[in-house]
């Protein structure tokens, strides 16, 4: 299983970024996927999850309509569109493959990517 994130960077508050996570080594369409983040000194926060078909999604309360998770099963890729970014969104963002048959903000995972850094300046 390999998950490779990209798209992070430095952006001013109010700006946007689109993260991508390219998956390989497993049948992508068989697993729900998630994005989570971790900032130094803070716990892990699940940002968003998407089901196997890309129809159902859930978001952490802090998202407040600013982010959109989506997936393209033909490209084995999951995305996170982030708009109206805030300095408190600064963190390392990881995608994760949720365990087979699971879905939800607290669903378990065994595989995650190395992450892509998002830094939002004020």
């Amino acid at each position: 299983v390999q998950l490779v994130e990209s798209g992070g960077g430095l952006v001013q508050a109010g700006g946007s970024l689109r993260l991508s996570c390219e998956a390989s080594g497993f049948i992508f369409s068989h697993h729900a996927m998630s994005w989570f983040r971790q900032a130094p000194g803070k716990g892990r926060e699940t940002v968003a999850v998407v089901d196997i078909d890309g129809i159902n999604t859930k978001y952490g309360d802090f998202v407040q309509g600013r982010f959109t998770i989506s997936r393209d099963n033909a490209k084995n890729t999951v995305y996170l569109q982030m708009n109206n970014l805030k300095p408190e969104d600064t963190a390392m963002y990881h995608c994760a493959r949720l365990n087979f048959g699971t879905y939800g903000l607290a669903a378990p995972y065994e595989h995650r990517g190395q992450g892509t850094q998002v830094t939002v300046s004020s």
Side-chain angles (χ1 to χ4, degrees):
V1 174
Q2 189 170 16
L3 300 166
V4 180
E5 301 94 338
S6 62
L10 174 64
V11 64
Q12 289 187 329
S16 298
L17 285 173
R18 188 193 194 204
L19 307 185
S20 299
C21 171
E22 187 170 350
S24 61
F26 65 100
I27 302 175
F28 183 69
S29 61
H30 284 191
H31 291 265
M33 299 293 293
S34 74
W35 285 95
F36 69 91
R37 69 186 188 184
Q38 187 149 24
K42 294 186 177 181
R44 178 172 65 91
E45 293 182 299
T46 301
V47 179
V49 297
V50 61
D51 70 358
I52 59 175
D53 297 317
I55 295 174
N56 296 298
T57 58
K58 293 181 182 292
Y59 297 90
D61 290 341
F62 59 88
V63 171
Q64 297 179 330
R66 301 178 296 130
F67 300 171
T68 302
I69 188 171
S70 62
R71 66 190 293 161
D72 185 338
N73 285 348
K75 296 182 178 180
N76 287 357
T77 302
V78 59
Y79 305 97
L80 184 68
Q81 176 67 44
M82 303 189 294
N83 299 326
N84 192 21
L85 283 160
K86 305 175 182 179
E88 52 264 43
D89 293 319
T90 295
M92 184 72 77
Y93 283 71
H94 302 262
C95 69
R97 186 192 83 167
L98 299 185
N99 290 357
F100 183 78
T102 68
Y103 170 72
L105 292 173
Y109 67 88
E110 294 180 351
H111 298 278
R112 70 172 194 180
Q114 293 296 309
T116 185
Q117 177 68 39
V118 171
T119 303
V120 185
S121 63
S122 57

